[in-house]
Each structure stands twice: as structure tokens, then as C-alpha cells.
């Protein structure tokens, strides 16, 4: 059975860059020879210098607060101002927590304990006259682990600065819309080895942007790609965040913006499964009463088992105008069935003529049974048979690859529509005597 204790050498390897590894390696070396006081002091030195390195990186990237902190540190160092340098060291963890958001409040407590124990180790006068502070091996080991897991393993940007940078990256016109490329982009951003809080907050920001501000196809594509990329990189954090927060966000949506949920369902893999029952029920009712200008979205809802019944119910209520205004690149069978049904029920020549263009639009997409149904309707319904557009409908159906000209001619003959045969009987054979 593996030991529950973290391997110290593995902790060294977890450090983000070479400087951090060098800093903490000294602490580990002291620990291994039993110099636990020295180990704790070295660990605090590793933390201090790692924070300064992170502030320098953020300063170079344009973070104003980091620039301010580094300027103060450099001024004290150049002037040999010991008082100011000690003040900087005392407050460095507070700066990391409150101003830079490099550590969380819980991590701040652990690292503050390290700072306090370092002082006890480095300044024996702080103990009683007769005793020297003798830290245990467990205490030294705990501080090494806290230093690595709370700070040294992470890149410099982890708080609001990192979140703002990630959002700007996704909003950029140059952010990829291919998930695999987005993964590469995130692996070279603050999202690499990110804290759970940053991952969670980034997911929530993207979802809120998608549901409230996605006003163009390009923006929607970038947002959904980013969410799918996060799911690839951090599947557990992604699943937990959606399970805990997604329904709350959707509940807060104004009814007029409920259609935006479609963007999430359509673009973000398996997002429907994370909705609570009441949210699913609300959206089922939305689909049943789908607005006219959103009718094309039924294609998305038909692909989800929980929404299929509601979508089919809405399709059965679709009017000629709705079907004429909608445009499907891959028309669902339920929608084409409704087109065939409405065309077959044409009550006058005007209805037949006006709806013929919709029938023709999807002439190449009908299955064999639907083509047969249209031809039968042309023969049985005189309002269609004698309409101006009937011949155009039949000619369009001949381009359908699911049926041959011979089969179409067979159906035309059976429906008493011989005038539309490919080769009329009067043109075949030798003229009768």
C-alpha cells in the first residue's frame, strides 16, 4: 500500500520553474539530514523568492500592482533600508492574498504558520531562555508541502488578473474555434496548472457570457470552444462546476433570454445532463411553445431524448409560414413529414402554389416514402394537381437520389399524372394505325 505522505522529491519536481525547484531543494536537503530548523528557514526563503519572481513576471506583463510592489522592494534594496525590507517581508503574504490573489485565504493561513515558525527557528531569542525551538520532522515536512502545493507549483497569475487575461484571450478574434487548438492555447496560459478556483471562475464567466452576451456566431463559437477545451483539460473540475452552478445560472435568466440556453445545449458537449429537473421541465415547456423566429432550433432539441417529445409536439403545430421562413441545412425527418402533410392538405390553388416553393427547397432531402406521399397528394388533391406549381414540384423530386426516374414514373402513372412522365406514352413506340 502506497504511503499517504507526499514524496519530497516529487514535490520538488512539481515546482513550476527551475528557480522554484532550486529554492525548495535546499529545504528538502536539510530535512533529509535532520536539520529541521534549517529546513523551515529554507522553505520560507523559497516562498519569499518565489513570490518576488512571480511579482516580477506580472510586472513585465503590465500588472500595475505588481509593478508597485517590485518598485518598493527594489528601492529598499538599493538604499539598504532594512526596516522597509523587513516590513515588505512581513506583509508579503497579505499582498499575495488581498492584492494579487496569488493565494486563497486558507492557503494564507498555512503559509502564515510557515512564516511564524521560520521566525521561531531563525530567532532563538523569541523562545524561553532555557529552551531552543526544536521543530519536529512532521512540522518541517508539512511546511515544505504547503509551500509547493499552495504556491511554488503554480504560475504567477491565478487571481482576477489571470481571469481577466483568459477572458480577453477568448474574446480575441485570433482565439481558435477548434477544440484541440484551444487546448494548446490554454496549456500555454495561466490555465496551465491552474488552481481549482481559477478554473471554476473561468467556466462560470464563459457560461454567463454565452447566456447573456453571445450576440454573434463568431463569439458563440469561441465561447463554446473554450468551454469544451476546459472540459478536455480539467474534466473533473468542469463536471463539478456545471453540476453545482449551471442550473442556478439558468434559473436566474429572464424568460426573454431563455433561448440563449440553446447555444449552450448545442455547442457545449453533454451540457444538458447537468441541468436540475425543474430547469429541464421549464425548458421542455419552452420548446413546446417555441417562438416563430426560433423554430429552426427544433433540430437541436430533437437530438436530446428529454426534449424530443416537446420538439415533435411543436413541429406538429408548425404552420406553413413557419416552415417557409425556416431554413434547415439538414432537415429533420419530423419537419419534412410536416411539410408533406401540410402540402397534401392544401385547400385551394393559392395554398398549393405558395407552399410549393417550400416543398421544392427540400426536394433532395425527402426519403422514399415522403416522395411517394407528395406524388400521391398531387394525384389525389385536385387543388395541387391543377395548380401552376405542380409540375415544378414533380421535376424537383426527380433530383432526389433516394428514387429513380422509373420509380417516379411508376408512381405518377398510378396517381393518374401521366402528363408528368419522363417519357410520355404518346412518344413511345410506333404511332398507332
Amino acid at each position: 500500500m502506497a504511503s499517504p505522505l507526499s514524496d519530497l522529491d516529487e514535490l520538488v519536481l512539481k515546482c513550476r520553474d527551475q528557480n522554484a525547484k532550486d529554492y525548495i531543494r535546499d529545504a528538502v536537503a536539510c530535512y533529509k539530514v535532520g536539520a529541521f530548523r534549517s529546513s523551515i528557514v529554507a522553505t520560507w526563503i523559497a516562498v519569499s523568492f518565489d513570490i518576488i519572481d512571480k511579482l516580477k513576471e506580472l510586472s513585465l506583463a503590465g500588472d500595475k500592482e505588481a509593478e508597485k510592489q517590485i518598485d518598493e522592494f527594489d528601492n529598499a534594496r538599493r538604499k539598504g533600508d532594512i526596516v522597509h525590507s523587513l516590513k515588505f517581508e512581513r506583509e508579503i503574504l497579505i499582498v499575495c492574498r488581498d492584492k494579487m490573489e496569488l493565494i486563497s485565504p486558507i492557503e494564507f493561513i498555512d503559509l502564515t504558520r510557515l512564516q511564524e515558525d521560520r521566525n521561531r527557528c531563525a530567532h532563538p531569542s523569541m523562545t524561553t531562555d532555557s529552551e531552543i525551538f526544536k521543530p519536529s520532522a512532521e512540522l518541517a515536512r508539512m511546511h515544505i508541502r504547503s509551500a509547493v502545493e499552495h504556491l511554488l507549483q503554480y504560475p504567477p497569475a491565478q487571481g482576477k488578473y489571470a481571469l481577466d487575461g483568459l477572458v480577453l484571450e477568448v474574446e480575441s478574434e485570433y482565439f481558435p474555434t477548434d477544440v484541440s487548438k484551444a487546448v494548446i492555447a490554454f496549456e500555454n496560459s495561466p490555465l496551465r496548472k491552474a488552481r481549482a478556483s481559477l478554473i471554476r471562475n473561468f467556466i462560470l464567466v464563459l457560461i454567463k457570457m454565452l447566456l447573456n452576451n453571445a450576440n454573434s456566431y463568431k463569439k458563440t463559437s469561441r465561447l463554446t470552444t473554450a468551454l469544451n477545451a476546459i472540459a478536455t483539460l480539467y474534466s473533473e473540475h468542469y463536471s463539478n462546476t456545471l453540476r453545482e452552478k449551471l442550473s442556478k445560472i439558468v434559473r436566474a435568466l429572464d424568460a426573454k433570454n431563455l433561448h440563449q440556453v440553446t447555444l449552450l445545449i448545442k455547442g457545449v458537449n453533454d451540457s444538458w445532463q447537468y441541468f436540475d429537473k425543474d430547469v429541464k421541465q421549464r425548458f421542455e415547456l419552452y420548446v413546446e411553445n417555441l417562438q416563430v423566429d426560433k423554430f429552426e432550433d427544433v433540430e437541436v432539441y430533437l437530438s436530446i431524448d428529454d426534449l424530443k417529445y416537446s420538439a415533435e409536439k411543436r413541429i406538429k403545430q408548425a404552420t406553413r409560414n413557419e416552415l417557409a421562413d425556416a431554413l434547415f441545412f439538414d432537415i429533420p425527418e419530423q419537419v419534412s413529414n410536416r411539410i408533406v402533410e401540410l402540402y397534401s392538405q392544401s385547400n385551394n390553388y393559392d395554398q398549393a402554389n405558395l407552399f410549393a416553393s417550400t416543398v421544392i427547397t427540400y426536394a433532395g432531402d425527402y426519403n422514399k416514402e415522403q416522395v411517394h406521399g407528395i406524388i400521391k397528394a398531387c394525384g389525389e388533391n385536385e387543388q395541387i394537381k391543377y395548380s401552376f406549381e405542380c409540375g415544378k414540384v414533380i421535376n424537383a423530386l426527380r433530383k432526389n437520389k433516394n428514387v429513380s426516374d422509373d420509380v417516379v414514373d411508376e408512381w405518377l402513372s398510378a396517381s393518374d399524372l401521366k402528363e408528368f412522365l419522363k417519357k410520355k406514352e404518346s412518344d413511345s413506340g410506333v404511332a398507332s394505325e
Side-chain angles (χ1 to χ4, degrees):
M1 182 175 179
S3 171
L5 296 175
S6 297
D7 184 273
L8 295 179
D9 292 325
E10 289 183 2
L11 286 175
V12 172
L13 294 176
K14 289 175 71 174
C15 292
R16 181 181 66 97
D17 61 17
Q18 191 57 48
N19 286 338
K21 289 178 183 177
D22 291 341
Y23 296 150
I24 204 66
R25 189 176 281 118
D26 289 343
V28 172
C30 291
Y31 174 88
K32 289 183 176 180
V33 298
F36 303 131
R37 280 195 299 272
S38 298
S39 176
I40 291 173
V41 172
T43 301
W44 174 250
I45 293 173
V47 166
S48 299
F49 278 97
D50 187 66
I51 291 173
I52 292 171
D53 284 348
K54 284 179 166 62
L55 291 175
K56 288 179 178 178
E57 286 188 50
L58 291 171
S59 175
L60 291 172
D63 187 294
K64 298 301 180 184
E65 183 60 38
E67 288 180 15
K68 176 184 174 184
Q69 296 297 327
I70 287 299
D71 286 344
E72 290 181 6
F73 174 77
D74 286 341
N75 286 335
R77 181 174 55 81
R78 282 195 299 268
K79 296 176 181 178
D81 189 341
I82 303 299
V83 174
H84 198 87
S85 295
L86 290 174
K87 181 176 180 292
F88 181 87
E89 183 182 3
R90 282 196 306 271
E91 297 176 353
I92 195 169
L93 294 178
I94 297 175
V95 170
C96 287
R97 180 193 63 184
D98 298 340
K99 296 182 178 180
M100 305 306 305
E101 297 184 18
L102 292 175
I103 56 176
S104 70
I106 299 299
E107 293 165 344
F108 171 80
I109 293 172
D110 289 344
L111 293 175
T112 298
R113 288 172 180 162
L114 166 62
Q115 186 180 33
E116 291 171 350
D117 286 344
R118 173 265 178 193
N119 293 337
R120 296 166 71 190
C121 291
H123 306 290
S125 59
M126 296 179 64
T127 66
T128 63
D129 293 336
S130 58
E131 293 183 8
I132 296 176
F133 177 58
K134 296 180 179 179
S136 66
E138 291 82 358
L139 183 63
R141 189 185 194 101
M142 180 196 73
H143 286 319
I144 294 172
R145 178 174 179 177
S146 295
V148 173
E149 296 195 343
H150 294 344
L151 191 67
L152 303 186
Q153 69 171 322
Y154 293 116
Q158 287 294 325
K160 186 177 184 299
Y161 179 82
L163 182 60
D164 291 344
L166 288 168
V167 171
L168 286 174
E169 182 175 357
V170 173
E171 288 186 321
S172 167
E173 291 288 335
Y174 304 107
F175 185 77
T177 54
D178 178 86
V179 174
S180 60
K181 293 181 180 179
V183 168
I184 294 173
F186 283 151
E187 285 177 338
N188 294 276
S189 76
L191 209 60
R192 180 176 181 268
K193 296 186 72 173
R195 299 177 189 274
S197 58
L198 176 60
I199 300 169
R200 180 180 65 253
N201 290 337
F202 188 37
I203 292 170
L204 295 178
V205 168
L206 292 177
I207 290 174
K208 290 177 181 178
M209 290 174 64
L210 183 62
L211 295 179
N212 294 294
N213 303 314
N215 48 18
S216 69
Y217 172 78
K218 287 185 177 180
K219 186 170 185 177
T220 298
S221 183
R222 290 195 296 269
L223 291 171
T224 54
T225 300
L227 285 166
N228 287 323
I230 297 172
T232 301
L233 287 169
Y234 299 105
S235 59
E236 185 175 353
H237 291 307
Y238 173 84
S239 298
N240 290 339
T241 301
L242 264 62
R243 190 174 293 109
E244 294 172 8
K245 301 293 185 180
L246 183 57
S247 293
K248 294 179 182 178
I249 295 173
V250 174
R251 287 191 194 101
L253 270 183
D254 190 284
K256 65 181 181 181
N257 289 330
L258 198 58
H259 65 277
Q260 293 288 104
V261 178
T262 304
L263 301 177
L264 185 71
I265 296 172
K266 181 179 179 180
V268 181
N269 298 336
D270 301 323
S271 55
W272 177 258
Q273 65 174 308
Y274 297 106
F275 289 114
D276 292 340
K277 289 183 178 180
D278 65 299
V279 177
K280 289 183 176 180
Q281 179 175 286
R282 182 188 181 196
F283 204 72
E284 286 168 12
L285 292 172
Y286 165 81
V287 174
E288 285 185 22
N289 299 279
L290 196 61
Q291 298 173 9
V292 173
D293 60 333
K294 307 298 179 186
F295 183 73
E296 294 172 9
D297 291 337
V298 294
E299 186 175 359
V300 178
Y301 310 139
L302 288 169
S303 65
I304 300 172
D305 290 340
D306 291 344
L307 294 175
K308 188 174 181 180
Y309 173 79
S310 298
E312 290 178 340
K313 186 175 180 180
R314 177 63 179 87
I315 291 169
K316 290 177 182 178
Q317 299 169 355
T319 65
R320 293 168 183 266
N321 288 337
E322 288 174 339
L323 293 168
D325 292 339
L327 181 61
F328 296 93
F329 294 103
D330 186 13
I331 187 168
E333 183 178 341
Q334 296 91 330
V335 176
S336 53
N337 279 337
R338 180 61 174 165
I339 291 174
V340 174
E341 178 185 15
L342 288 175
Y343 187 60
S344 302
Q345 295 172 354
S346 297
N347 293 321
N348 51 60
Y349 297 138
D350 284 343
Q351 274 191 348
N353 284 324
L354 288 173
F355 201 56
S357 61
T358 303
V359 177
I360 291 171
T361 298
Y362 303 104
D365 300 311
Y366 301 125
N367 59 39
K368 189 173 182 179
E369 290 73 20
Q370 290 169 337
V371 174
H372 190 195
I374 294 171
I375 292 175
K376 282 183 65 177
C378 290
E380 295 173 358
N381 187 334
E382 293 187 352
Q383 307 303 319
I384 301 176
K385 184 175 184 178
Y386 299 112
S387 66
F388 294 126
E389 303 295 321
C390 182
K392 292 182 181 179
V393 169
I394 292 171
N395 286 336
L397 293 176
R398 288 189 180 279
K399 298 176 182 178
N400 188 297
K401 297 188 181 300
N402 293 317
V403 292
S404 64
D405 281 333
D406 289 341
V407 171
V408 171
D409 283 346
E410 181 183 333
W411 289 339
L412 289 172
S413 296
S415 299
D416 195 22
L417 295 168
K418 296 179 181 178
E419 64 270 29
F420 299 111
L421 294 175
K422 188 76 171 179
K423 189 173 185 181
K424 298 178 181 178
E425 291 181 357
S426 58
D427 295 334
S428 60
V430 180
S432 57
E433 296 180 359

